[in-house]
Amino acid sequence: MDDVTAVPHPRSEAAGAARAGRLSLAAALLSGALGAAVALLATRQQWSEGTATVAGGAFPLTAKGSDVTGVPAALAIVGLAALVAVFAVRRAGRVAVAALLALSGAGTITAALLGASDSSALDEKAAEAAGDTSATVDVLSHTAWPYVAAVGGLLLLLAGLLALRYGRLWPAMSGRYERGGTPRPRRRPAPTDPDRPEELWKALDRGEDPTSA
């Protein structure tokens, strides 16, 4: 008995690709939107705190993520815009936008981790409070919010990697929603029946002879 070689059916392959496209699309949208929201929220929270010596006493100081660095928030907005733009482009353009989304996530992670140990924002506030440009913060501690921002960047990076891997299977914006450069033709009014009584009266009002036709 001859060996029988199993050949995958084209329909099963198409169904598997469609299913992978749907699952990856849902995962990318969820992780991208959630990552941008988490990164933006984290930058508005307190990242560090400390004290400065002012007039012989300890003066408490705090710094938000936006005081430490504005990079995570900016990259989160760029990543969110890239996530939306993925569906407006095709082929090479989609690959480029997906790469931008992934780079936005990677940049957010890097900036957040660097800001987790940064003290320059509190040093500036200490110098301002003490009236001495050489003054620095005495006691410095950091919160967990920089790492939360890094998690948001990780989600953005995941969305970008999914777009790079499965973006070719995702739908694109339909051409019927795109505005062309040529004006659309005007719709002509539907023809009227001259034998209808109302049309006869309208013709008489215009001074026309309805029987001339």
Side-chain angles (χ1 to χ4, degrees):
M1 184 176 181
D2 297 336
D3 295 337
V4 179
T5 303
V7 179
H9 199 278
R11 289 188 177 180
S12 62
E13 292 181 355
R19 184 171 182 272
R22 290 193 299 269
L23 291 177
S24 61
L25 174 59
L29 287 175
L30 179 61
S31 61
L34 182 60
V38 169
L40 288 173
L41 175 64
T43 57
R44 298 179 181 178
Q45 308 303 318
Q46 179 178 317
W47 280 26
S48 58
E49 59 185 358
T51 59
T53 303
V54 179
F59 186 77
L61 299 171
T62 60
K64 295 182 179 180
S66 57
D67 299 328
V68 176
T69 174
V71 175
L75 290 180
I77 295 175
V78 171
L80 188 60
L83 180 64
V84 176
V86 165
F87 303 98
V89 294
R90 302 181 183 182
R91 298 177 183 176
R94 177 165 292 187
V95 174
V97 173
L100 177 61
L101 175 58
L103 290 175
S104 298
T108 301
I109 296 173
T110 303
L113 293 180
L114 290 176
S117 58
D118 185 85
S119 62
S120 58
L122 285 181
D123 287 339
E124 292 179 2
K125 290 189 175 184
E128 182 179 354
D132 183 3
T133 57
S134 62
T136 58
V137 65
D138 296 331
V139 180
L140 177 65
S141 62
H142 294 84
T143 66
W145 283 108
Y147 302 100
V148 175
V151 172
L154 181 61
L155 292 174
L156 284 172
L157 176 60
L158 175 61
L161 295 177
L162 287 173
L164 285 172
R165 175 62 179 85
Y166 299 100
R168 59 184 178 83
L169 303 176
W170 296 354
M173 186 180 296
S174 176
R176 64 181 178 177
Y177 296 106
E178 300 175 0
R179 300 183 61 181
T182 58
R184 296 181 180 180
R186 295 183 179 180
R187 296 181 59 184
R188 295 182 178 180
T192 57
D193 186 3
D195 296 332
R196 296 175 60 182
E198 57 269 21
E199 297 300 330
L200 294 176
W201 285 110
K202 290 180 180 179
L204 290 174
D205 291 338
R206 294 193 298 264
E208 300 174 0
D209 185 1
T211 61
S212 61

